[in-house]
Amino acid sequence: QVRVVESGGGLVQAGGSLSLSCAASGNIVSINAMDWYRQAPGKQRELVAATTSDGSTRYADDVKGRFTISRDNAKNAVYLQMSSLKPEDTAVYYCHVVPRVGLYTYSYWGQGTQVTVSS
């Protein structure tokens, strides 16, 4: 019903920047939450940044001031601009969306994209 596709990521040196993109498609009426999570090896998946349809945003403490989340409601897309990257930012980054499909809302995840920051 809904497909979530991420792009971006890759390998970057510490201090560098990367951008991630995520687009949702399918029988979507609207999307409330659009978030980015990450999961490092041996660790639990954690919220990195979140945005809602009214434009409000929130960030994990360790990315505040370095990462910026934004969205394009017309494209059902969400973006994550990452700067001043640190080796500890290395993880698989997942896009998470909560769209309204018909009368109900559902939770969907992207396949994940690897971000590796070398020291």
Side-chain angles (χ1 to χ4, degrees), residues 24 28-32 34 51-55 70-79:
I28 296 171
V29 176
S30 60
I31 301 180
N32 184 12
M34 301 188 82
T51 181
T52 57
S53 57
D54 64 359
S70 61
R71 62 189 284 169
D72 184 333
N73 291 327
K75 296 181 179 179
N76 290 332
V78 63
Y79 310 97

Side-chain angles (χ1 to χ4, degrees), residues 62-75:
D62 59 350
V63 307
K64 285 181 181 177
R66 300 189 298 121
F67 291 11
T68 301
I69 188 171
S70 61
R71 62 189 284 169
D72 184 333
N73 291 327
K75 296 181 179 179

